[in-house]
Amino acid sequence: MAESMPLEPTEMEHLQHSTPSGKIIFRNGAFCCLIFLACYWLAWPVTRMGFNDDWSFFRTAQIFAKTGQIAYNGWADPMVGWLIPWGALFIKLFGNSYTAVRLSILPITLLTLLLFHSTLIRFRITPRNAIIGTLTLGLCPLLLPFAASYMTDVPSLFVVVLCLYLCQRAASAETSRLAIFWLLLAGLSNVTGGTTRQAAWLGALVMVPCTGWLLRKNRSVLYASLAIWLASIAAIIACMQWFAQQPFAPQASILPKLPSSVLLGVFDGIFTIDLMAALLLCLLLMIVPVLTIWLPYFGRKFDHYIVLFCMGLLPMVALKYITGSLGVVWPASTLNWELSTQQHSLLGTPQMMQHSLLPVPARILVSVVLLAALLGCIIAVRQKGWKLIQAESPEEVRQLLWLLAPFSLAYGALLILAVQQGLALDKYVFLWMPFAIIASIWLYQRCIRIELPRSSVVLLIVYAAFSVAATHTLFAWHRARFAAIQELRAAGIPSTEIQAGFEFDGWSQIEQSGHVNNRLVKNPPGAYQPPAIKTDLKNLCSYNFLAWAPSLHPKYAVDFGPAACFLPSKFSPVPYTAWLPPFHRDVYILKVPYKMPTVTTP
C-alpha cells in the first residue's frame, strides 16, 4: 500500500502563500477552454432535431424571439428564465434553428470553466491540479453533450459555480464593505440566474447565509447576509408565484405523497435508498480522474477497513436484489451515453440506448473500484489526522467546510425529495460535481502530496477520449434518426403519422396544438385531457408517450432495429457510424400495426 507522505513544512508554506498571477490564472483557464472547444469540435454535436428536452425550450425561445412573450408548452418543470431571451438573441443573430439556439450554451460553458478554474485556485489548488480539476468537469461524459444542447443544466451549473466564486471573494475580502458587496452580488446573481433551473437557488438560500455565518465575527457582514437571505426568499417566492400563473407551465410539487400503509412506506424507503446509491455511484463515475488517485491508499495496512468495506457491500447487494435492480448500477441515462445501464427501443417513456459497452458484471466491478477509491480517501485522511489538517490551515478548512458542505447536503436533501417521486436521472449529479472535485483535490494536496499523480492525467485523457466518442456517437444517432424522418416526409407521410422518440413526437404535438397533454398543467383549466384509451402498463408494445401527444396517430416508427411490436416496411435502414463498438449501426423505419395498443396514462 502507498503511504501518506506528510508534507514538508516548506511545501505547506509554499502551498499556503503562493498564488499564481492573474495572467497565469487566465492563461491556464483559457487553455482549459481551448481543450474543451477542441473536444467539442471533434465530437461534432450537431443535429436538426430535438435533443432530450430542449425541443420544448427551443419552442419557448422561438416564440419570444418573434413576439417578446414567454409561452410555455406543458412539457418540462424548469422555469427556463433568463435562458429564454438569451436563446432568442441567438435566434435573431444566427437564424431560427436548433444549431443557433444551442450555440448560446457554448459561451456559458466556457464561462463556467473559467470560473471553476479560478475557484480551484482560490482554494489553494496548484495550477497543474486546477487544470486537471477543470478538465474533469469540462470533459465529463455528461457535460460535453449537454453543452451542445439548449438544456437548462449547464446554465444552472454556471449559476452555482458563479455563486461559489462570489462567496469565496466575500470570505477573503479585506474589508466588511467589500465582503457585503460580494455577498450582495452573489445573492442577486443567484436569484436571477436560478430562474433557469430552480435547484440553482440553493446558492442564495444556503451558500450565501453560510458565508455570512463564516464571517460572523464581523456583525455588519452577518446582518447584511441575513438581509440578503430574506430578500432572496421573498424574490424566489415571487418568481414561483409568477410561474404558477403562466399558461401551460407544469406545476410539480416537490413534496412526496405519503404512503397509504406502513409496508408501502418501507418499500418507498428501500427504493429511495437504492436510487440515491445509484446517484452516488454515478457521481463517483463522473469524477474518475480525481477519484482514482486514492486507490493506492486502500490496502492491507487497514485490514479492518477492508472487512468493513466488504460488509458494507452486502446490504447494497441485498438492496439491489430486493428492488430487482441488480443490473442497474447507475441511474437511468438521460443522454443515452454508451455506459447505459438499461437497453430499450424507442417504445415506452424512457428512451434509452440499445448498445452498452459494459456488461452487468463489469459495471458492478467498476462501481466496487470507485467505492474502494472513496474509502481510500477516508483512510488517508484518517491516517493524516483531521485535527492536524485543521491545525495546518484552519482558515482554509473553515472556508472549505462552510462553502461546500451545507450546499452539498441541501442539494442531497432536494435529490431525496425528487427520488421519492421516482425521478433519478444521471444529470442530477451535475451540481454535486464541482464540490466533489474540489474536495478530492484539496484533501489530496493536504494529506498526500502537492501535485496529483501522473495517473490522473492518463485517466483524464482516456476520460476525454471516451466523452468525445460517446458524444459523437450520440449525435450521429440523432442525425440518422432525422435522416429517416426526412425520408418518410419525402414519401408524403406527415409528422403526425411518424413515431420517432419523444423529442420528435413532442415537437410534432406542440406544432399541432401548441402544448403537450400534461396532467401537471392546471392553467388554463381543462388543458389536460385524460387519454380516451388505456392499456396495461405491462404491455411493452404500448407507446406511452401518446398520452402526452394525442394529436399523433403513428403509422411508421423510427427504431433501433426490427422489433416484435412492429412490421417491416418498404424503407431501407439508415446506416450511421459510431465511434464506440459496434461501429456500424442502423436506424430502421418500421410500420406500426393498425390495432397496436397505443395509449397509457402519463
Side-chain angles (χ1 to χ4, degrees), residues 150-164:
Y150 187 57
M151 295 284 287
T152 60
D153 300 272
V154 172
S156 67
L157 178 65
F158 163 71
V159 171
V160 170
V161 172
L162 174 62
C163 187
L164 177 59

Side-chain angles (χ1 to χ4, degrees), residues 193-223:
T195 57
T196 187
R197 192 174 184 88
Q198 294 89 312
W201 276 332
L202 286 177
L205 295 177
V206 177
M207 201 182 302
V208 170
C210 284
T211 306
W213 184 253
L214 175 66
L215 303 172
R216 62 188 178 277
K217 290 182 180 179
N218 190 321
R219 291 297 176 181
S220 61
V221 176
L222 179 61
Y223 296 147

